[in-house]
Amino acid sequence: MTEDTFKAVRAAGCVLWRRSPLGGELEICLVHRPKYDDWSHPKGKLKRGEEPLAGALREVEEETGYTAAPGAALPTVRYPVAGRPKEVRYWAAEATDGRFTPNNEVDRVLWLSPAAARDRLTQPRDADLVDALLSVLHLGRSGAAAGPM
């Protein structure tokens, strides 16, 4: 075994959000990857020498078709994949412009309320990122502003 066998796979992504065009409610973008038949936040492996935030924004655009304005860093998620550790750094990111077109990696996207996003995500660890986003946006678990304005 080489030293690379135990090096963590480095990846990055975003919890992509927007305000609903109709009512202004918070919506979170989830991507469906047919290869894994799962729903997750947009993310992917970093290219050699790529900074994590740049990679996260690149992956968002590649997978969703949207450009995004990065916000606060969210918790880093670590888990094993095929016997190797994987580390995914996440940021909150507001969708600024774009349109989804199905591609080889992602065949569908959904814009969902925080509660619906939590329920749709395949991995429970990804649901924790919804709560982290709501915290940095100073919103309650429903996505509504907490307390009187």
Side-chain angles (χ1 to χ4, degrees):
M1 284 192 203
T2 67
E3 183 179 316
D4 284 344
T5 304
F6 297 103
K7 271 191 179 176
V9 175
R10 295 177 60 236
C14 293
V15 179
L16 186 64
W17 65 276
R18 71 178 184 188
R19 291 290 177 181
S20 163
L22 299 176
E25 294 89 13
L26 181 74
E27 295 180 325
I28 296 172
C29 183
L30 302 185
V31 299
H32 180 261
R33 302 178 306 164
K35 178 178 178 180
Y36 303 105
D37 190 24
D38 70 351
W39 287 95
S40 67
H41 301 290
K43 67 179 179 301
K45 293 178 192 164
L46 296 176
K47 295 179 178 180
R48 186 180 301 273
E50 186 174 39
E51 291 296 319
L53 180 55
L57 295 173
R58 174 184 54 76
E59 286 291 340
V60 164
E61 190 165 3
E62 287 176 5
E63 293 188 355
T64 70
Y66 285 85
T67 55
L74 299 177
T76 297
V77 178
R78 294 173 180 87
Y79 53 95
V81 175
R84 287 182 65 190
K86 184 171 186 175
E87 179 178 285
V88 187
R89 295 195 49 198
Y90 281 98
W91 283 266
E94 183 177 8
T96 54
D97 190 36
R99 196 167 128 216
F100 175 69
T101 302
N103 57 64
N104 290 340
E105 281 188 78
V106 175
D107 62 351
R108 290 185 287 165
V109 299
L110 289 176
W111 289 96
L112 301 170
S113 70
R118 262 189 228 96
D119 290 343
R120 180 64 62 110
L121 285 159
T122 302
Q123 295 295 327
R125 64 179 169 254
D126 290 337
D128 294 340
L129 291 165
V130 172
D131 294 330
L133 172 71
L134 296 176
S135 178
V136 301
L137 295 178
H138 305 291
L139 300 173
R141 279 184 59 87
S142 68
M149 297 236 144

